[in-house]
Amino acid sequence: MNKLVVLLVSLLAISISGCASNDKYVQWETEAPDQFPKLTAIGYAPLATQPAKEQSHKVLMAMQASKIAAYRELAEQVYGQQIDAHSQMSDWMLNNETVSANVSGMIKGAKVVKSYPAGDMYVTELELDFAQVWDLYQQQNRPRRLKEVTYF
């Protein structure tokens, strides 16, 4: 009987406390950072090793490859780079060692500053202005901070 009373009192207390959290209205306000950094990245691609027969196609392919390399560098700066390493030993001697790197992320708002040939390479320079990234982020995610709470 005492266990039943304790159980009923506990359930009543839990149900009352659950209702208490719904008696307020919270208003949020967006807050911008104090300053916005600008990141730059440079990507390189060799002209000679592009898999095309004509020189004009090799240039176009190298342009695209250097742009992708520059975007990868930006992603490394923004999101970091994941490094995985594996070593294998036998008889206290290193038999095999592998290291791999992985970058994953989405870059929005970057712009091409320059794209030009340099010797047998093609170079692309990118810039990522976080003020523009902030504006893009505001349109999609609307970060918030507490503005006002009204209790009823």
Side-chain angles (χ1 to χ4, degrees):
M1 182 72 171
N2 285 341
K3 289 183 180 181
L4 182 60
V5 171
V6 170
L7 179 63
L8 287 174
V9 170
S10 300
L11 288 175
L12 181 64
I14 290 171
S15 65
I16 290 173
S17 66
C19 294
S21 65
N22 293 330
D23 62 351
K24 62 184 172 187
Y25 172 71
V26 179
Q27 231 180 332
W28 296 92
E29 182 178 77
T30 59
E31 183 177 3
D34 294 332
Q35 59 183 343
F36 296 100
K38 282 187 180 182
L39 300 179
T40 58
I42 300 174
Y44 301 93
L47 289 165
T49 59
Q50 299 303 319
K53 294 179 181 177
E54 295 182 29
Q55 184 65 19
S56 61
H57 289 151
K58 286 185 177 193
V59 170
L60 290 173
M61 293 174 85
M63 286 172 65
Q64 186 65 27
S66 67
K67 186 175 179 182
I68 291 170
Y71 269 103
R72 178 191 169 106
E73 187 177 326
L74 274 179
E76 288 173 5
Q77 293 178 49
V78 173
Y79 298 102
Q81 189 175 87
Q82 180 179 341
I83 305 293
D84 294 318
H86 178 75
S87 300
Q88 189 175 19
M89 290 181 62
S90 172
D91 295 329
W92 296 104
M93 294 179 60
L94 184 63
N95 287 344
N96 186 16
E97 185 168 30
T98 58
V99 178
S100 64
N102 184 32
V103 176
S104 180
M106 180 183 293
I107 301 294
K108 288 184 179 182
K111 66 177 183 177
V112 176
V113 177
K114 292 181 188 174
S115 192
Y116 54 92
D120 62 343
M121 303 289 279
Y122 208 89
V123 182
T124 299
E125 298 179 19
L126 293 180
E127 180 181 83
L128 182 61
D129 184 358
F130 270 85
Q132 185 176 2
V133 173
W134 170 260
D135 292 339
L136 291 171
Y137 186 74
Q138 285 293 334
Q139 292 173 0
Q140 292 179 347
N141 297 322
R142 312 292 287 174
R144 307 175 296 173
R145 72 178 171 102
L146 187 60
K147 181 179 177 184
E148 181 183 347
V149 178
T150 305
Y151 292 96
F152 302 106

